[in-house]
């Protein structure tokens, strides 16, 4: 298994199926270490959303570090900056990209507030 460090976005999907991939994370950075192995390579290639994994053989471990993205409301780190850039590039232009600055909890809170406002508006028309 070989990792293309230019394509890897630090999403951790591969670590969910291989114990040879380890993660360490704090509020600022996420580090992923890929240890050389051949097990599950086909499944790892299928799992990776960016095509960063190939079946080429390597003999050395590699560690990649990614800066974490903080929620613009609560300040919690919730993804790597490269994950967010990857998603932003895939989104249709009509989608509000400001949602990508929010963690999942703050997105849900925003949706609840929006629904509540709509309910109040509808009741006010009656
Ligand atoms: S699944 Fe792919 S992009 Fe995500 S951390 Fe693993 S190698 Fe990187």
């Amino acid at each position: 298994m070989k990792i293309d460090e230019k394509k890897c976005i630090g999403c951790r999907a591969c670590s969910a199926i291989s114990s040879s991939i380890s993660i360490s994370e704090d509020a600022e950075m996420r580090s992923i270490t890929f240890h050389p192995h051949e097990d599950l390579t086909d499944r790892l290639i299928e799992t990776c959303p960016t095509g960063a994994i190939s079946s080429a053989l390597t003999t050395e471990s590699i560690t990649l570090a990614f800066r974490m993205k903080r929620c613009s409301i609560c300040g919690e780190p919730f993804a790597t900056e490269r994950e967010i850039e990857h998603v932003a590039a895939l989104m249709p232009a009509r989608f509000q990209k400001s949602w990508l600055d929010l963690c999942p909890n703050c997105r849900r809170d925003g949706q609840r507030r929006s629904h509540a406002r709509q309910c109040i508006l509808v009741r006010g028309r009656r």
Side-chain angles (χ1 to χ4, degrees):
M1 178 186 88
K2 187 174 182 189
I3 306 299
D4 183 336
E5 55 190 279
K6 288 185 182 140
K7 289 184 178 175
C8 180
I9 58 174
C11 71
R12 301 179 299 186
C14 53
S15 70
I17 59 172
S18 174
S19 57
S20 297
I21 301 169
S22 54
I23 310 282
S24 69
E25 184 174 310
D26 61 26
E28 303 300 326
M29 300 295 289
R30 175 183 295 162
S31 295
I32 306 182
T33 300
F34 301 88
H35 301 285
H37 70 102
E38 295 172 43
D39 304 339
L40 302 169
T41 299
D42 289 343
R43 278 191 62 204
L44 288 166
I45 290 171
E46 284 172 21
T47 300
C48 179
T50 63
I53 300 176
S54 70
S55 58
L57 292 179
T58 53
T59 55
E60 293 181 4
S61 297
I62 178 175
T63 299
L64 304 180
F66 302 89
R67 189 173 302 283
M68 296 299 288
K69 172 93 172 166
R70 286 180 180 271
C71 175
S72 64
I73 291 179
C74 70
E76 282 296 309
F78 65 97
T80 68
E81 290 181 347
R82 289 189 73 182
E83 284 180 277
I84 300 301
E85 289 163 9
H86 178 71
V87 173
L90 296 174
M91 285 169 56
R94 63 183 156 74
F95 194 86
Q96 274 187 2
K97 295 197 175 175
S98 58
W99 279 95
L100 293 177
D101 293 331
L102 305 179
C103 70
N105 286 338
C106 290
R107 277 182 218 159
R108 275 192 294 274
D109 285 349
Q111 284 175 330
R112 279 191 214 111
R113 278 195 295 274
S114 172
H115 289 154
R117 269 195 301 273
Q118 286 171 357
C119 288
I120 290 167
L121 285 173
V122 168
R123 283 186 194 149
R125 286 187 204 130
R126 288 183 189 157

